Each structure stands twice: as structure tokens, then as C-alpha cells.
Amino acid sequence: MTDAPAASDDLRDRINTTQPHTARIWNYWLGGKDNYEVDRVTGDQIRKLHPGIGDYALADRQFLGRAVSHLVNECGIRQFLDVGTGLPSADNTHEVAQRLAPESRIVYVDNDPLVLAHARALLTSTPEGRTDYLDEDLRNVDAILEQAAKTLDFSRPVALMLLGVVIFIGDDEEASGIVRRLLDALPSGSHLVLTHTITSPAMPDVDAAVAFWNEHGTPKLTQRTPEAIARYFDGLELLEPGVVSCNHWRPDADGEPLPDEVAMFGGVGRKN
């Protein structure tokens, strides 16, 4: 596997190829090529501590596809605000949504320079819809909303996608406040789609993997219990089956035994 291609000039200086980064390691686990040697080495070390870690990346991506499909087909959602985009791979939010409803509009938000460099080339749109991206941090709620309003109509329902990104906010009150402020700006009928790595006594090797990452990588991660993750949906109508392992959320193989849980939990909630 070769190193990731260079970014455009205005972003190249912001890319640190000497320290592993979560977005690039996630890309490596998904079988992508947009990563560097330092990411692959660290990704392999984490996988030794927790061999199933690659399954989390796949479960999270498949959850995205099922959640977006449900929101488009069953809820009539045509607008998506995807914060913490990560590196483009197969079946990104806009691809799933516009495949089903070509007029869908998507705004991606990320502050990783390599993500932004690839977004310019890969996050394209159907002629009927629109796909834009913002260079912003999750914490900059006002800036995100102001810029996203140039593409999205906040008088109509929006799906707020927060997949594997709240884990980067260490303070619980700050994390809850960010999610609440984003939701407060959205009208009735909007939805929250959120995933988060859990900590659980049944999965001690996950804690070891996260501890290793926090010692060697950036940005730092904060795990939370399934109960703490469910609190992000307070005040929303939580869709069945609630906050569960991502691979247990409305799996495609109905009637078959559920696979083993992964330590990436998620849910979908509706704002009434």
C-alpha cells in the first residue's frame, strides 16, 4: 500500500505525517489507501490489542447506510448535516442519499486537512442535489450553522449526522451542549444520527486499545457507557431498537441471529 497522495498547497502544511491520526487509521481499517505508514503501524498495533477493532469501522459504515436509507425512504429527509466526515470511502452520506433521492443536499464538516483535500475531489453531487463541505471543528457550532445555511434550508427537516465524532469531546457537559445547540437550530421532523465508542466491562480489550491510542495518537478519545450515549437523545423520539451496537440497528438480514456486539453503539432520534 502506498502513502496517501499529497493534498493541495493550502492544506499540505497542516498534514502531520509523523503522528497517527484517527481518520487515516479508520480509512486503513476500511481497506482504503488514504493513509500513511505511521497510521498503518499504529492501526496494526491497536488491532493486536483488540482484534475486532476493524469490525467497528465496518459496522459504523454499514449503520450509516441503513440509517440514511431509512431517513430518505421512510421519513422523507432530503437534507443532511454530516459533522466529522472522515476520509471519503464507499457509500458516503451523499452517495446513499442521492442514490435514493437525487435532489438531496448534504453538507460535510471536518477540520482534518487530508479529509478536506480529498473532499474537494471526491464529495461530488448529482445535478439535482448539492454537496458542500466546511473546514470547521465540531466545537464551532455557530460557524457550522451559519455556513451550512448557505446550502441547507433550516426551515425544513435536517438529519444531523454525528458518527464517531463526539468521542473527541472529553467533557461530558461540553459534548451534550454541542449536540443540543446543533439540534436546537433544526426544525421539527429533523433527526439525530449518532454513534460513539463505548466502554464496557464485557470488552476490556477496547479500553486497552483506546488507552494505547491516547498515548500515541491524536486527537484523544473519550469513551462513554451506552447509558451516557443514550442521553444525547433526551427529548427526542428514539427510533427502535434504541441505542444499540451499530450492527444490531435494523440489520439487513432480518430473521437471522444477530452478530456479536461491537463496541460502537448508535441510534437515531426524531425531533418532534
Side-chain angles (χ1 to χ4, degrees):
M1 183 181 291
T2 58
D3 277 349
S8 56
D9 291 341
D10 58 329
L11 295 172
R12 188 180 295 116
D13 291 343
R14 291 169 51 191
I15 298 176
N16 183 351
T17 62
T18 66
Q19 187 172 29
H21 192 281
T22 52
R24 302 193 307 248
I25 291 177
W26 205 255
N27 175 266
Y28 171 52
W29 286 334
L30 284 171
K33 298 180 180 180
D34 300 321
N35 47 76
Y36 295 89
E37 179 66 20
V38 65
D39 307 308
R40 299 190 284 274
V41 169
T42 303
D44 288 340
Q45 290 172 318
I46 293 173
R47 192 147 43 191
K48 288 180 181 178
L49 290 170
H50 184 56
I53 193 73
D55 295 337
Y56 299 0
L58 181 59
D60 187 69
R61 178 59 49 166
Q62 292 174 338
F63 169 83
L64 180 154
R66 296 195 302 274
V68 171
S69 296
H70 174 81
L71 292 175
V72 171
N73 288 332
E74 306 300 329
C75 306
I77 298 295
R78 297 294 183 268
Q79 301 189 108
F80 295 83
L81 178 58
D82 189 332
V83 186
T85 306
L87 283 160
S89 59
D91 283 340
N92 301 287
T93 298
H94 77 284
E95 293 172 315
V96 178
Q98 292 181 345
R99 186 183 306 139
L100 300 170
E103 72 275 18
S104 297
R105 289 179 165 240
I106 296 88
V107 173
Y108 289 109
V109 183
D110 209 296
N111 66 344
D112 180 79
L114 191 61
V115 170
L116 296 167
H118 283 270
R120 291 178 173 175
L122 299 177
L123 301 183
T124 57
S125 175
T126 58
E128 302 93 331
R130 186 169 174 181
T131 301
D132 286 329
Y133 57 90
L134 307 178
D135 180 3
E136 280 296 346
D137 187 279
L138 172 62
R139 296 174 176 85
N140 299 333
V141 173
D142 292 340
I144 289 173
L145 294 171
E146 179 182 357
Q147 295 179 65
K150 298 174 183 178
T151 300
L152 305 178
D153 178 0
F154 284 153
S155 69
R156 298 172 52 230
V158 175
L160 172 62
M161 312 284 293
L162 297 174
L163 273 62
V165 65
V166 179
I167 191 174
F168 300 124
I169 308 297
D171 183 84
D172 288 342
E173 289 190 11
E174 182 185 11
S176 296
I178 288 170
V179 175
R180 185 54 49 195
R181 287 172 62 200
L182 287 165
L183 284 171
D184 284 347
L186 306 181
S188 175
S190 294
H191 288 70
L192 170 64
V193 183
L194 184 145
T195 64
H196 198 297
T197 304
I198 67 162
T199 180
S200 168
M203 302 178 183
D205 48 349
V206 177
D207 296 345
V210 171
F212 178 87
W213 170 259
N214 285 340
E215 181 180 353
H216 298 280
T218 184
K220 307 305 179 186
L221 310 179
T222 298
Q223 295 166 274
R224 294 181 170 93
T225 65
E227 294 76 19
I229 298 167
R231 285 196 286 273
Y232 291 114
F233 295 91
D234 285 352
L236 303 180
E237 177 189 346
L238 189 59
L239 276 58
E240 293 292 339
V243 175
V244 296
S245 175
C246 284
N247 56 356
H248 290 185
W249 196 89
R250 306 192 178 196
D252 294 328
D254 290 335
E256 295 187 9
L258 291 174
D260 291 340
E261 286 186 342
V262 297
M264 179 69 73
F265 274 42
V268 180
R270 182 184 189 277
K271 181 177 179 179
N272 293 319

